[in-house]
């Protein structure tokens, strides 16, 4: 079956540091890949997505590239801010997004001023 | 535009009691999902509706869980009887399309505590 593995948290960084959160997946076929974010006290929000190999999703300074050869979709940001503190979930969908999502366990990111 | 609405936001019940959760999706969204999120885990899909039809309920524990989406709009998820292990956050999401490239919009969730 489909599965997503992402790095354990919490991840604690200082403001303006470089961020990488690793995500690898197992799936049949060619899934679509997503990063969702959950800010404190709020619901899950789509951060970015990529629907085919070598696509790069980007939003709010975050980027992730769909790497089929390594089955990875690592999340990166060049300079994090305190407001980026949240829980980040990597997810996949076999059918482009309308199908149900398979999520990783989430990574809690803490940015210190 | 209003987002996905869920109620109640919190529910505390004793084991063996029934409980129901309600979801109102974004207007015009044809696809509706129920997920369960255990503490420290990612959400897991329970059931997916396309309009009023349940098209994927393979992960729904059918001995105690039931769901309905009458008229293809609002949806209710029920647990009867609840067990201690059902304590979790129940999330509803909706999507404007039934297939292909589409974003899912999540509600705030209902946090269930079973004592």
């Amino acid at each position: 079956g489909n599965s997503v593995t992402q790095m354990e948290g919490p991840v604690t960084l200082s403001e303006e540091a470089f961020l990488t959160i690793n995500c690898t997946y197992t799936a049949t076929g060619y899934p679509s890949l997503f990063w969702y974010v959950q800010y404190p006290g709020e619901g899950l929000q789509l951060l970015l997505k990529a629907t085919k190999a070598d696509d790069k999703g980007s939003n709010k300074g975050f980027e992730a590239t769909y790497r089929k050869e390594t089955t990875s979709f690592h999340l990166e940001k060049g300079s994090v801010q305190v407001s980026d503190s949240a829980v980040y979930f990597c997810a996949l969908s076999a059918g482009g997004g309308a199908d149900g999502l398979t999520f990783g366990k989430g990574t809690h990111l803490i940015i210190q001023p | 535009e209003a987002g996905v609405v869920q109620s109640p936001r919190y529910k505390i019940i004793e084991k063996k009691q029934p409980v129901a959760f309600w979801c109102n999706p974004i207007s015009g969204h044809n696809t509706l999902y129920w997920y369960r999120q255990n503490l420290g885990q990612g959400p897991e899909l329970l059931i997916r509706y396309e309009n009023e039809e349940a098209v994927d309920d393979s992960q729904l524990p059918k001995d105690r869980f039931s769901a309905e989406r009458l008229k293809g709009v609002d949806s209710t998820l029920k647990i009867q009887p609840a067990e201690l292990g059902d304590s979790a956050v129940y999330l509803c999401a909706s999507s404007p399309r039934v297939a292909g490239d589409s974003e899912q919009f999540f509600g705030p969730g209902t946090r269930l505590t079973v004592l």
Side-chain angles (χ1 to χ4, degrees), chain A residues 3-41:
Chain A
S3 66
V4 174
T5 302
Q6 61 183 107
M7 61 191 294
E8 300 272 332
V11 173
T12 303
L13 296 172
S14 297
E15 205 165 19
E16 300 183 2
F18 183 86
L19 168 71
T20 300
I21 300 178
N22 290 337
C23 170
T24 57
Y25 67 90
T26 301
T28 55
Y30 303 95
S32 295
L33 302 174
F34 306 83
W35 277 100
Y36 277 81
V37 59
Q38 188 167 34
Y39 297 104

Side-chain angles (χ1 to χ4, degrees), chain A residues 2 25 27-33 50-53 66 68 92-97:
Chain A
N2 298 334
Y25 67 90
T28 55
Y30 303 95
S32 295
L33 302 174
T51 57
K52 61 182 186 294
Y66 189 140
K68 185 173 181 297
L92 69 82
S93 172

Side-chain angles (χ1 to χ4, degrees), chain B residues 1-109:
Chain B
E1 179 180 305
V4 176
V5 178
Q6 292 188 246
S7 68
R9 291 295 309 277
Y10 304 91
K11 188 74 175 178
I12 300 174
I13 61 171
E14 305 241 332
K15 63 180 181 182
K16 300 184 182 180
Q17 294 300 306
V19 64
F21 315 122
W22 176 80
C23 172
N24 182 240
I26 294 172
S27 177
H29 280 198
N30 298 316
T31 307
L32 183 146
Y33 315 77
W34 283 102
Y35 291 84
R36 176 171 59 189
Q37 185 175 18
N38 293 312
L39 187 64
Q41 305 292 315
E44 296 177 325
L45 180 70
L46 292 174
I47 189 168
R48 174 168 65 101
Y49 282 93
E50 291 180 4
N51 300 304
E52 67 277 4
E53 181 182 0
V55 296
D56 183 359
D57 63 356
S58 57
Q59 300 304 309
L60 188 73
K62 298 181 182 64
D63 57 336
R64 297 183 299 108
F65 285 65
S66 63
E68 61 182 11
R69 190 184 184 198
L70 300 177
K71 300 182 180 179
V73 182
D74 294 4
S75 178
T76 302
L77 178 69
K78 298 179 181 178
I79 309 175
Q80 181 170 9
E83 297 179 351
L84 295 176
D86 295 331
S87 294
V89 176
Y90 291 83
L91 298 169
C92 179
S94 69
S95 175
R97 296 175 61 179
V98 298
D101 188 11
S102 187
E103 179 179 347
Q104 294 184 28
F105 296 81
F106 283 80

